Amino acid sequence: MSDRIDQSLPVPEQGPVPPLQNVDSDRLPDPVQPVASASADESAVPEESWTRFHKATPWLSVWQVWAAIGAFIVSGLLNVVDTEEDVSTILANLMSFLREILLYILAGIIILTVLGTLAATLSWRKKEYAFVPSGIHFRQGVFTKKHRHVRWDRIQSVQIRQGIIARLFGLGSLDIDSAAGSSGMLSLGLLKTNELSALRGQILATAEAARKGETLPDGATQRQVFDVDDVYEGQRPFYTLGMKRLVVTTVMSSSFITFVLFVAAAVVTTIATGEFISFAFLLALVPAVTGLWSHINTSYGHTMFLTKDGIRVRRGLTKTTTQTLLPGKIHALDIVQPFLWRPMGWWKVTVTMTGGMDMTEGEGVEGFLARDVLVPAGSQGEALTFLWTVLPDIGVDEFESFFDDALSGTGASRHFVTAPSHAKLLDPFGHKRNGYCLTRTAAVARSGYFRRHVRVVLHAHWQGLNSRQGFLQRRKDLATGSIALIPGLVTWKVKNMNRDDIVALRERELALGAEARAVQAESIDEWARRVGVA
Amino acid sequence: MRSPLAPDVEFTPISPAYRTVQLIRALAVAIPFIVALVLAIIFLPWWLTILVALAFVIYLGCAAVYYLASRYWGYAEAEEELMTTRGRLVSRLLVVPYGRMQEVNVSSGPLMRKFGLATISMETASTDADAKIPGITQAEADRLRVKLTELGQARMEGL
């Protein structure tokens, strides 16, 4: 099989991906005709249809075992280390201990590696997949055999997953999501990167045809499915998070600053007292470091494309995540500028969208939080471009002066209803920025004297309106208004406004909301036409 | 009843009998508290007794605030939305369009039933817009439940 592995997939500049039989016909299974009444009969899979995965699969799984053992040893050492003792004593003890048992360790490593490789190779030989008319079949197991069958018409989505080591070798897996909830994703891998996208296209096309009850036509150009991954071959993203910005924003983040202060304090203590700081102190830094790392890891290379199906987002360093956002699902946006970003003029855009708070398995907290951050750091222009892709029309006539006011304006404004100056006792800095504007399409609130916020809620999407007046506010005839949204990261609120303005906010927003809900929402096709990707 | 946050709207106050319910509930907690206080005076050192007494005073203060605030609970059925108001120290107003209501629930425990009262709560897709009216008569609660459920279904809109 090795002679075929270095064949690469000819990727065309434009247009549909060629059919698979032209690509790598003897390696990949033939394009198949899905049959509607697919039977789950295992014997229906001809023996020659079974294909093995890439032969590096066992080696990489052994590597994973070693990584796991290494991590286990390190964590064990961390537990063993007595924090009362001096680090150099610990290291000396450790080294002498290691010297005593070095031979045994080496022997153990060799035996484990040989056994592990043997086992992995054996299991690799028995791990195969097949694409046949009844669906995708997968079987594995040396002693206990497992057979899994996913029907074409049950396939929901196909994703490409690449870990960092596998990516170095140009390998990855396909995660096939079927309607069967309990057994989870069917993961096919490892396979060559070139094959991954071709197989993905083939699976999507066959699945789509099966769902429509059609048979897949033969020939080169009759691809049934629009595969969004094909589109951005050669297409320019409308937003990319550059490495410089990622680093600068990470360095300016509060967790990094805390980290630096922490280390500085440790160094100063060490110099002043002449004693090395305790190990426990260093351990306390671990969460900060992992937090920073996972921020870089999830946001790295954050890129957005406009596709016919919505806004396509790709990000991630060791694991690339792609998602397609339906713009109509976005209910609200928060355009924020932390104080330290002001010299660079960068903004961050977070959204609240339906499904935005659903946890996906294996995503982790950082990935979960990052999902709603759509512009991690962008110029004012980039932030506004993104706003435009979500909201066709901000609903004001003087676009530029409106955004000048919204993003950085203070005090009385032509566009915004602002907080009165007698609010300054309750809100010494914020009252200069607090204000709202109800445009034809959205409710816009600006706030934050140091950390600037502009929050945008689409009239059609709020759930309720809240007003509040505390006893201090009552003495000054002030009030606070907020808009209730589905669970998410954006909170729309204007604090310490004139009470009359809050009453008016409620009354006008009620009417605007009712009006907006009555209008048919923009369909995805209309959206695609508007942003010019139809 | 009026709210400073919606000066033009006349709100229906909740039943005065709800204050009796609140009083009984407050007593139900206060009596064990008094017993604890007496025991503390007898058996505990003076500084622990003061702590218990302090906790009791704080509890009484909170209970009084809630008791007084119940005069300011009210609701109004507008054409397209339900409005609820509450609080005097901090007054709040919530407006929820009928079409946004996902679920309408009526609940009443044994004590509330004794006084012919019920609590009606409306859930929306937002955790910040869950309207609740405690202490209205059961007949009124049922009327509201039927009306709100019907309106909620008739005007149901996508999120």
Side-chain angles (χ1 to χ4, degrees):
Chain A
M1 227 175 265
S2 56
D3 51 329
R4 300 177 203 130
I5 279 161
D6 47 5
Q7 287 188 15
S8 60
L9 176 69
V11 178
E13 314 301 305
Q14 297 255 297
V17 160
L20 292 163
Q21 59 265 49
N22 297 349
V23 176
D24 204 352
S25 54
D26 37 356
R27 166 110 178 106
L28 296 174
D30 290 334
V32 291
Q33 309 292 324
V35 289
S37 58
S39 76
D41 190 5
E42 287 183 32
S43 58
V45 185
E47 210 45 47
E48 64 271 17
S49 302
W50 289 108
T51 317
R52 278 190 198 134
F53 295 102
H54 194 271
K55 64 186 166 99
T57 310
W59 296 102
L60 288 182
S61 57
V62 169
W63 180 87
Q64 279 172 337
V65 169
W66 277 118
I69 291 176
F72 178 76
I73 291 172
V74 168
S75 71
L77 283 179
L78 289 181
N79 283 331
V80 162
V81 167
D82 185 1
T83 50
E84 296 289 305
E85 276 184 69
D86 200 356
V87 169
S88 53
T89 330
I90 295 165
L91 285 179
N93 287 344
L94 201 62
M95 288 319 288
S96 67
F97 176 67
L98 283 179
R99 259 196 296 279
E100 279 174 39
I101 58 165
L102 190 63
L103 265 181
Y104 299 101
I105 291 178
L106 274 180
I109 288 175
I110 291 165
I111 292 171
L112 273 177
T113 308
V114 169
L115 285 180
T117 312
L118 269 177
T121 312
L122 210 59
S123 99
W124 168 75
R125 286 177 61 89
K126 292 288 179 192
K127 194 168 159 190
E128 292 165 313
Y129 69 96
F131 288 9
V132 290
S134 61
I136 298 175
H137 291 257
F138 172 76
R139 69 179 183 190
Q140 69 168 347
V142 182
F143 302 109
T144 12
K145 307 253 181 205
K146 224 194 253 175
H147 185 113
R148 193 160 167 201
H149 171 206
V150 177
R151 281 175 51 175
W152 290 115
D153 54 351
R154 294 284 183 273
I155 291 169
Q156 304 296 308
S157 70
V158 186
Q159 277 159 0
I160 294 172
R161 182 166 49 90
Q162 289 185 288
I164 189 162
I165 298 297
R167 186 185 305 186
L168 290 178
F169 291 94
L171 299 169
S173 320
L174 275 182
D175 284 345
I176 298 161
D177 190 9
S178 71
S182 56
S183 34
M185 298 246 195
L186 171 61
S187 184
L188 299 183
L190 301 167
L191 297 162
K192 282 209 68 171
T193 312
N194 290 336
E195 289 168 5
L196 286 172
S197 49
L199 276 178
R200 181 176 181 274
Q202 187 191 340
I203 295 171
L204 283 174
T206 319
E208 180 72 12
R211 255 197 296 278
K212 287 182 182 157
E214 296 165 1
T215 52
L216 197 63
D218 297 326
T221 51
Q222 287 94 338
R223 277 174 55 86
Q224 298 289 303
V225 178
F226 173 82
D227 180 358
V228 281
D229 274 339
D230 301 340
V231 165
Y232 52 63
E233 296 285 351
Q235 206 202 27
R236 268 166 51 86
F238 76 87
Y239 170 79
T240 307
L241 175 66
M243 198 57 204
K244 182 186 150 212
R245 265 186 216 175
L246 178 61
V247 170
V248 172
T249 55
T250 308
V251 166
M252 285 187 168
S253 68
S254 54
S255 55
F256 185 81
I257 292 168
T258 321
F259 171 77
V260 169
L261 290 178
F262 218 82
V263 171
V267 170
V268 169
T269 325
T270 310
I271 293 169
T273 61
E275 278 175 49
F276 194 76
I277 47 143
S278 79
F279 205 69
F281 192 81
L282 285 177
L283 278 185
L285 292 176
V286 170
V289 175
T290 54
L292 288 170
W293 160 244
S294 60
H295 170 70
I296 292 175
N297 193 14
T298 48
S299 307
Y300 175 84
H302 187 113
T303 309
M304 285 193 285
F305 302 86
L306 294 175
T307 76
K308 227 168 92 174
D309 296 337
I311 303 165
R312 186 101 174 143
V313 186
R314 271 165 74 107
R315 57 181 166 78
L317 179 61
T318 57
K319 201 173 110 188
T320 309
T321 314
T322 51
Q323 67 184 130
T324 305
L325 299 174
L326 290 172
K329 284 191 165 185
I330 294 177
H331 289 190
L333 301 97
D334 185 357
I335 308 171
V336 54
Q337 183 175 61
F339 184 64
L340 290 177
W341 291 15
R342 206 176 283 180
M344 285 88 71
W346 294 341
W347 297 83
K348 173 172 148 179
V349 184
T350 312
V351 302
T352 285
M353 56 183 167
T354 51
M357 286 284 132
D358 298 338
M359 271 280 198
T360 315
E361 207 183 324
E363 186 182 37
V365 180
E366 275 290 323
F368 165 70
L369 290 177
R371 198 166 29 161
D372 291 344
V373 180
L374 290 181
V375 180
S379 65
Q380 180 169 326
E382 284 167 329
L384 295 184
T385 304
F386 176 72
L387 178 68
W388 169 79
T389 64
V390 176
L391 190 63
D393 167 23
I394 189 71
V396 290
D397 295 322
E398 291 160 89
F399 193 82
E400 271 177 34
S401 78
F402 175 78
F403 276 110
D404 280 349
D405 254 6
L407 294 170
S408 52
T410 54
S413 154
R414 220 147 42 86
H415 302 277
F416 283 81
V417 178
T418 49
S421 58
H422 67 265
K424 65 170 170 280
L425 280 174
L426 291 180
D427 206 348
F429 296 103
H431 83 275
K432 294 179 188 168
R433 279 271 295 160
N434 289 350
Y436 73 81
C437 174
L438 304 182
T439 74
R440 291 189 298 271
T441 52
V444 183
R446 67 170 209 201
S447 65
Y449 187 70
F450 297 105
R451 186 183 171 90
R452 290 165 171 166
H453 280 280
V454 177
R455 290 167 170 123
V456 181
V457 168
L458 277 67
H459 289 319
H461 290 306
W462 50 261
Q463 309 297 313
L465 300 175
N466 278 298
S467 330
R468 186 179 188 279
Q469 186 179 50
F471 60 96
L472 285 177
Q473 287 178 320
R474 175 156 319 132
R475 300 184 64 154
K476 304 246 168 225
D477 203 31
L478 301 171
T480 293
S482 57
I483 297 181
L485 295 164
I486 58 166
L489 299 178
V490 182
T491 47
W492 196 103
K493 191 180 253 189
V494 272
K495 287 183 186 166
N496 298 317
M497 304 286 288
N498 269 326
R499 185 177 55 91
D500 292 343
D501 290 335
I502 293 297
V503 173
L505 165 69
R506 191 198 73 240
E507 282 166 356
R508 284 180 53 211
E509 187 58 44
L510 265 176
L512 286 166
E515 221 171 275
R517 288 193 298 269
V519 176
Q520 182 74 38
E522 184 181 43
S523 77
I524 187 72
D525 292 333
E526 286 163 354
W527 177 84
R529 266 197 299 282
R530 173 168 71 78
V531 300
V533 289
Chain B
M1 203 186 97
R2 299 268 169 174
S3 160
L5 295 165
D8 307 335
V9 183
E10 180 63 37
F11 289 91
T12 315
I14 59 170
S15 163
Y18 183 62
R19 299 202 339 248
T20 320
V21 173
Q22 279 191 310
L23 212 55
I24 295 172
R25 281 180 183 160
L27 281 179
V29 183
I31 289 169
F33 231 131
I34 292 168
V35 173
L37 197 58
V38 170
L39 290 176
I41 290 168
I42 300 171
F43 296 109
L44 294 181
W46 63 270
W47 55 273
L48 270 178
T49 312
I50 286 177
L51 276 185
V52 175
L54 205 64
F56 185 52
V57 168
I58 290 171
Y59 169 73
L60 282 183
C62 292
V65 167
Y66 278 107
Y67 179 75
L68 292 175
S70 65
R71 284 166 184 267
Y72 297 93
W73 280 92
Y75 60 97
E77 296 155 69
E79 204 167 306
E80 293 292 331
E81 61 272 340
L82 180 79
M83 308 172 87
T84 56
T85 180
R86 67 190 168 98
R88 174 67 191 166
L89 203 59
V90 179
S91 52
R92 297 163 205 265
L93 174 76
L94 169 63
V95 185
V96 178
Y98 295 125
R100 287 300 193 210
M101 289 180 189
Q102 307 287 332
E103 220 178 295
V104 182
N105 294 313
V106 172
S107 64
S108 62
L111 184 63
M112 291 277 275
R113 265 205 302 281
K114 195 100 184 153
F115 287 85
L117 296 179
T119 298
I120 186 163
S121 51
M122 279 71 65
E123 269 179 41
T124 64
S126 168
T127 47
D128 298 330
D130 293 341
K132 186 177 154 190
I133 316 169
I136 50 174
T137 62
Q138 281 175 350
E140 175 71 351
D142 283 332
R143 182 190 70 79
L144 270 178
R145 181 180 55 78
V146 171
K147 177 184 171 179
L148 294 179
T149 312
E150 268 173 15
L151 283 174
Q153 270 160 5
R155 318 232 164 128
M156 199 52 169
E157 289 140 341
L159 294 178

